[in-house]
C-alpha cells in the first residue's frame, strides 16, 4: 500500500496501530475497537427515553439526566450515552 505512511501519521487507536503493524484483519473478533462500541439504541429505548425526558423536563432544580438514568431498564446506559442520544434526537 503506497499510502500506508499516511495511516502511520494519523492513527486513531492502539488497535489501529496493532492492525497496521501486524497486518490488517489480524485482530480477533471481539478485540480492539469492536469491543468498545456502544450498542445502538433500539426504537423502544428511544421511545422510553423520550417519554422520560418529557416527564422530568419540567422538574425545577432537579437533574434531568440523573432522573432518567434512575428509571432506565437494567442494561443501563451511561450518563454520556443518554446525553448524546438526547442531543441526537
Amino acid at each position: 500500500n503506497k499510502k500506508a505512511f499516511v495511516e502511520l501519521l494519523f492513527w486513531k487507536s492502539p488497535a489501529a496501530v496493532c492492525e497496521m503493524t501486524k497486518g490488517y484483519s489480524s485482530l480477533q473478533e471481539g478485540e480492539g475497537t469492536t469491543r468498545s462500541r456502544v450498542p445502538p439504541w433500539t426504537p423502544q429505548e428511544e421511545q422510553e427515553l423520550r417519554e422520560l425526558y418529557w416527564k422530568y423536563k419540567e422538574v425545577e432544580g432537579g437533574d434531568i439526566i440523573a432522573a432518567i438514568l434512575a428509571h432506565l431498564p437494567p442494561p443501563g446506559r451511561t450518563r454520556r450515552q443518554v446525553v448524546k442520544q438526547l442531543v441526537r434526537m
Side-chain angles (χ1 to χ4, degrees):
N1 186 355
K2 294 179 181 180
K3 298 179 183 174
F5 67 92
V6 176
E7 280 190 65
L8 291 172
L9 293 174
F10 301 103
W11 53 276
K12 295 180 180 180
S13 68
V17 173
C18 177
E19 225 177 336
M20 285 185 277
T21 56
K22 294 183 180 178
Y24 290 101
S25 69
S26 63
L27 291 177
Q28 300 299 318
E29 196 164 318
E31 288 183 14
T33 57
T34 57
R35 185 174 28 145
S36 65
R37 292 217 172 133
V38 178
W41 288 78
T42 63
Q44 294 83 12
E45 288 176 321
E46 286 182 358
Q47 181 62 31
E48 186 171 359
L49 182 62
R50 189 175 291 113
E51 290 171 4
L52 288 170
Y53 173 75
W54 286 108
K55 180 179 178 182
Y56 293 108
K57 177 183 167 192
E58 300 298 325
V59 176
E60 298 232 359
D63 185 11
I64 298 171
I65 305 301
I68 290 173
L69 285 171
H71 291 89
L72 282 177
R77 300 283 184 159
T78 64
R79 181 179 183 89
R80 184 178 196 150
Q81 290 170 344
V82 170
V83 170
K84 193 173 184 179
Q85 184 65 18
L86 283 170
V87 169
R88 191 187 69 74
M89 292 188 332

